[in-house]
Amino acid sequence: MSVRVRRIYDPPEPDDGVRVLVDRLWPRGVAKDAAHVDEWPKGLTPSAELRRWYHAGEGSFEEFAERYEAELAAPEAAELVDHVRKLAREGDVTLVTASKSPDKGHASVLLRLLDRA
């Protein structure tokens, strides 16, 4: 079993497993049937305040990651993280995002958190 991150604009692959959209808003220009998204847990996404802070360039990626992990420790978000962990124990999971740089965004922080357990 594995968890990986891919851009939602890339075509789905047979080994994606369960595709989990980890963005709060539906990506522009992507038809829902073409995206092949199996789950969309909006509670896993960073808060609007944290997103605005990070995209305004006010802090480093490391500080963003710390703040986002703190948000993911809240009960509702932690429950969703556990759910994705359960999916990963049962098979492959692909976290999909519209981010232009998934390696410097919230999906990579979530992936790192999921890999710890």
Side-chain angles (χ1 to χ4, degrees):
M1 285 42 108
S2 70
V3 180
R4 66 181 180 163
V5 175
R6 296 189 64 226
R7 292 195 72 222
I8 196 161
Y9 300 107
D10 297 333
E13 295 181 359
D15 62 344
D16 280 350
V18 177
R19 290 172 54 93
V20 180
L21 178 61
V22 293
D23 293 342
R24 186 165 303 267
L25 302 174
W26 189 264
R28 285 186 177 169
V30 178
K32 290 191 179 187
D33 60 333
H36 299 280
V37 168
D38 298 300
E39 298 202 16
W40 187 13
K42 295 176 189 175
L44 277 180
T45 62
S47 66
E49 297 80 21
L50 181 58
R51 270 193 330 273
R52 279 193 290 271
W53 173 84
Y54 182 54
H55 292 299
E58 296 178 20
S60 67
F61 176 72
E62 292 76 22
E63 188 174 355
F64 166 77
E66 287 176 21
R67 291 181 181 198
Y68 179 41
E69 284 188 32
E71 288 184 357
L72 290 172
E76 181 183 329
E79 191 175 308
L80 293 170
V81 170
D82 288 343
H83 173 70
V84 175
R85 276 193 186 111
K86 180 178 183 261
L87 292 174
R89 284 192 297 271
E90 296 170 356
D92 296 326
V93 173
T94 300
L95 307 176
V96 291
T97 180
S99 175
K100 291 180 184 177
S101 302
D103 58 325
K104 288 293 183 184
H106 69 283
S108 69
V109 176
L110 182 56
L111 175 65
R112 186 172 64 202
L113 183 65
L114 291 166
D115 282 345
R116 283 190 209 144

